[in-house]
Amino acid sequence: MVPLLPADVTVTRLSRSIHLYCRPGPAGSPGPRPLLLLLPWLGAGPAAQSKYLQLYLACGFDVLAVESALSHFLCPRLGLRWAAHVLALLREPGALASRPLVVHALSLGGYTFAQMLLLMGQDLGRHGSVAQRLRGHIFDSLVVGSLDRMALGVSQLMKLQALGPVVRATAMFYFHLCPSCTIRHYEAAVGAFRQPPVRPPTLVFYSLDDPLCDNARLQELLATWQQLGIPVWVQAWETSRHAAHLRQHPLEYSSTLATFLGRLGLAAPSARL
């Protein structure tokens, strides 16, 4: 159970790692509430996601929270299947269909979204209904840089930190042992992320001292998006903690997020973050 959510929020468990959080809209509101696709960091359960859920529910969104597993990263084919499953959920008729859609991806959740973008780019005819609904992207603590940085990201986000060095070394060995099963797929996902098939306004949260993000490479990515005509806003901190900016800088984070959602025209007028 997620603590501190409003009493009128209903939680629907779609699978062990996919939950839908809904709140009734005000009387007379036109149409269903917009939908926020939350792709949290590796190992972030419902309790860890609660502050993000509170923010978006207060802003008039329902939230589809999709947790990724270590296997989705280490085995890109499994990751692609998972991305395809999420796209299918968003595409099928029912409670998730036809709603304006915003994506908020944190840390390695950005990799899951990169896989989704890859699939969208390969078959826009099939996934066009999802692509057309995307109104905004929010990226927090992206893991940007070399394969070693990606392996470091996986290792540092493990719940059992004592296993971190072992996981990092094993991941690097695995990457180079099976490049056709790993590196080739990672490069394709990164390419889809750099040249996305859908290009809505984008907000990026990051810190200059994040060991999992090569700041120079991140700036190159942001410049590439701007050259493609993507409106990009950033909120950066000199010092903060990976995937914990909301906890360490709550006022700046909430204010920046509210301003961005206001630009998209999706936040409830009476919402206060």
Side-chain angles (χ1 to χ4, degrees):
M1 181 65 65
V2 180
L4 303 179
L5 293 184
D8 59 350
V9 173
T10 60
V11 183
T12 304
R13 186 177 186 269
L14 302 180
S15 74
R16 184 179 60 84
S17 51
I18 301 180
H19 295 81
L20 176 63
Y21 300 86
C22 295
R23 194 177 187 186
S29 58
R33 289 155 61 94
L35 185 66
L36 186 283
L37 174 61
L38 179 65
L39 301 170
W41 62 96
L42 185 66
Q49 301 166 27
S50 62
K51 288 190 177 297
Y52 301 91
L53 298 173
Q54 292 172 49
L55 287 179
Y56 283 104
L57 290 166
C59 277
F61 285 77
D62 289 338
V63 180
L64 180 69
V66 176
E67 301 167 30
S68 298
L70 179 60
S71 59
H72 298 150
F73 175 72
L74 294 179
C75 183
R77 290 181 180 177
L78 290 179
L80 274 174
R81 290 179 195 169
W82 186 240
H85 177 62
V86 177
L87 285 169
L89 282 176
L90 294 171
R91 195 175 61 243
E92 292 173 357
L96 303 180
S98 304
R99 301 204 206 185
L101 181 64
V102 175
V103 174
H104 189 139
L106 296 101
S107 189
L108 286 171
Y111 171 73
T112 297
F113 188 57
Q115 297 278 53
M116 293 173 64
L117 290 173
L118 180 61
L119 292 173
M120 279 190 249
Q122 291 173 347
D123 194 348
L124 266 178
R126 184 179 187 186
H127 305 299
S129 62
V130 177
Q132 292 170 7
R133 290 158 50 200
L134 279 167
R135 303 290 183 84
H137 296 162
I138 301 161
F139 301 121
D140 183 331
S141 302
L142 288 173
V143 178
V144 179
S146 63
L147 279 177
D148 182 66
R149 203 174 290 263
M150 294 171 71
L152 176 63
V154 171
S155 67
Q156 289 198 356
L157 293 171
M158 294 292 293
K159 289 183 178 179
L160 295 176
Q161 284 296 299
L163 296 178
V166 176
V167 171
R168 181 182 183 185
T170 302
M172 288 303 298
F173 176 75
Y174 173 59
F175 294 157
H176 293 290
L177 181 66
C178 306
S180 64
C181 299
T182 56
I183 296 175
R184 179 169 60 85
H185 290 276
Y186 296 143
E187 290 175 345
V190 169
F193 202 75
R194 289 181 63 87
Q195 305 273 340
V198 287
R199 300 170 181 178
T202 298
L203 171 63
V204 180
F205 293 103
Y206 69 97
S207 65
L208 299 178
D209 63 343
D210 189 341
L212 307 187
C213 181
D214 183 327
N215 187 55
R217 296 283 291 274
L218 175 62
Q219 297 308 316
E220 291 174 5
L221 175 64
L222 299 180
T224 297
W225 286 344
Q226 291 173 324
Q227 290 167 7
L228 292 172
I230 300 174
V232 177
W233 288 271
V234 300
Q235 173 64 64
W237 293 276
E238 290 284 342
T239 301
S240 191
R241 184 178 175 184
H242 183 82
H245 303 318
L246 175 56
R247 187 172 66 197
Q248 296 206 317
H249 307 277
L251 295 180
E252 287 177 288
Y253 195 106
S254 299
S255 175
T256 300
L257 180 61
T259 299
F260 179 72
L261 295 176
R263 291 188 179 110
L264 302 182
L266 295 177
S270 61
R272 292 184 178 180
L273 296 186

